[in-house]
Amino acid sequence: MRQNPHTIYYNAQMSGKNRVEAFFPEVCTQLNLLLENLSSTPPQPSPQTMTETGFINANEGSWLFSTLLQQVSENLPDQKIIIVIDGLDGIDINSQAVGTNLFYLPRYLPDQIYFIFARRPYQKSHSGLLIEAPSQILDLADYPVENREDIKAYIRKKRTAETQSSQRNIIELINENEDNFMYVQQVLNAFAEGFYDQPENINSIPPDLETYYQQHWQKMQGDGLSDVAMDILRVLTAEETQPMSTVAISQIIKADVFDVAEIMETWLEFLQETREGKETKYKLYHHSFRLYLHDYSTLPNS
């Protein structure tokens, strides 16, 4: 964003920001400020006025958003506007009409307007978006070396302010091969806040990371877990579990492979997929999430 000041950023996974009513005022206000710098005629009504007078229902927000995008596009010199929405998987779809785009995002984009969406893995048939503009999917799992180098650079930057003893503890908790940015960020934040100053916390999950995992667990449960789902969870959370195919899991828990595959599909955003020949194998996406779920996997089936 420092390299491109014409970037608008919105984190949809933060508390209170995953509903469409929060998205429109913030992003439209940023677009309006940008338009004021490009044109002497800002749109009416402005986002600020609509906010003050009881902004915003979905139709008003969607109309204003599309109008602002078009006006910004028409007034742009030789530049691009990039709108980044992080945590697309955290959007509360119950706050908008069924069958609409997440956050009522437009299907078509004006010239020089670009969107970047970040989200966890998802079923392609459940993307929540219908976009009729050129698009490209970039899977960070395809770039493990680059991802790891970014994380190492982040660790080096954060560790410079820590004492030598703290740095040793950080190294113990964060393996040099760590490739999960959320885990690294939360552990380093916990060190900075003194959470790991208490010896009893050295092997504990930081509170903010635990809250994040709790959100995962709630989504995994949905309206309730079947006996088959609980059996799968026990397999996935077993110590040092290696990636396993749906066939292998079904044989272990003595369940129909199609039932196993259906559950794994609904849990896709919390899993890592690997391909070995023609076989797809799965495991939970991170070791600390596996440790977090282990306690729940030991609960008896209801």
Side-chain angles (χ1 to χ4, degrees):
M1 292 179 65
R2 287 192 296 268
Q3 295 175 347
N4 190 337
H6 296 308
T7 299
I8 293 172
Y9 178 79
Y10 188 86
N11 188 342
Q13 208 153 33
M14 292 181 64
S15 177
K17 296 185 68 175
N18 67 341
R19 295 176 62 86
V20 67
E21 294 89 347
F23 170 76
F24 280 137
E26 182 171 326
V27 174
C28 287
T29 297
Q30 290 186 61
L31 282 171
N32 189 51
L33 291 173
L34 178 61
L35 188 58
E36 287 177 351
N37 292 328
L38 297 171
S39 170
S40 59
T41 310
Q44 296 296 326
S46 71
Q48 292 92 334
T49 301
M50 294 185 76
T51 302
E52 292 165 0
T53 58
F55 194 91
I56 202 167
N57 66 42
N59 289 332
E60 287 175 329
S62 182
W63 165 80
L64 178 60
F65 185 50
S66 296
T67 299
L68 283 170
L69 289 177
Q70 185 62 48
Q71 292 186 353
V72 167
S73 172
E74 293 170 354
N75 284 276
L76 276 174
D78 187 21
Q79 296 172 320
K80 297 179 177 65
I81 297 299
I82 300 172
I83 301 175
V84 179
I85 304 179
D86 194 9
L88 212 62
D89 51 288
I91 293 175
D92 179 9
I93 60 174
N94 296 317
S95 67
Q96 55 185 85
V98 176
T100 56
N101 269 353
L102 295 172
F103 277 170
Y104 294 100
L105 295 171
R107 292 168 56 181
Y108 308 93
L109 296 180
D111 292 340
Q112 298 171 279
I113 305 293
Y114 295 84
F115 280 78
I116 297 177
F117 304 134
R119 69 189 307 170
R120 299 188 60 77
Y122 62 98
Q123 302 173 55
K124 300 300 184 289
S125 60
H126 292 72
S127 69
L129 291 174
L130 175 59
I131 300 174
E132 300 190 39
S135 62
Q136 180 180 359
I137 297 175
L138 180 68
D139 189 344
L140 291 182
D142 295 333
Y143 301 89
V145 175
E146 294 86 348
N147 192 38
R148 197 166 294 134
E149 288 303 315
D150 285 345
I151 288 176
K152 286 182 178 179
Y154 180 79
I155 293 172
R156 286 193 295 269
K157 179 180 178 181
K158 291 294 185 180
R159 278 172 49 188
T160 55
E162 300 291 341
T163 64
Q164 287 186 349
S165 60
S166 292
Q167 288 190 23
R168 285 194 296 271
N169 289 334
I170 290 173
I171 293 171
E172 290 176 10
L173 280 171
I174 301 177
N175 186 284
E176 287 190 358
N177 294 321
E178 179 61 64
D179 61 1
N180 186 275
F181 190 86
M182 175 62 77
Y183 175 79
V184 171
Q185 180 191 46
Q186 293 299 332
V187 167
L188 291 176
N189 287 346
F191 267 105
E193 295 167 0
F195 175 76
Y196 287 112
D197 290 346
Q198 305 298 321
E200 64 271 18
N201 288 340
I202 196 62
N203 293 316
S204 300
I205 297 173
D208 287 347
L209 187 59
E210 186 169 4
T211 299
Y212 181 65
Y213 287 162
Q214 179 63 29
Q215 293 169 355
H216 289 355
W217 174 230
Q218 289 173 349
K219 290 182 71 173
M220 289 178 71
Q221 292 179 87
D223 295 328
L225 295 179
S226 65
D227 290 349
V228 172
M230 286 300 298
D231 288 340
I232 294 172
L233 189 65
R234 293 186 182 95
V235 172
L236 294 176
T237 57
E239 187 174 357
E240 301 302 327
T241 296
Q242 298 300 311
M244 302 182 69
S245 67
T246 54
V247 173
I249 294 173
S250 67
Q251 290 173 346
I252 291 172
I253 66 174
K254 296 179 174 57
D256 189 292
V257 66
F258 293 105
D259 291 339
V260 173
E262 184 177 43
I263 291 167
M264 300 298 277
E265 186 173 279
T266 63
W267 288 354
L268 187 60
E269 65 177 289
F270 311 112
L271 303 173
Q272 278 188 10
E273 281 186 303
T274 56
R275 296 281 297 183
E276 295 184 12
K278 296 182 179 180
E279 194 172 45
T280 302
K281 295 185 176 182
Y282 303 89
K283 69 175 183 178
L284 290 168
Y285 81 92
H286 194 249
H287 67 87
S288 70
F289 185 48
R290 178 183 66 80
L291 294 174
Y292 172 82
L293 287 181
H294 181 71
D295 289 341
Y296 293 102
S297 71
T298 60
L299 296 174
N301 291 1
S302 56

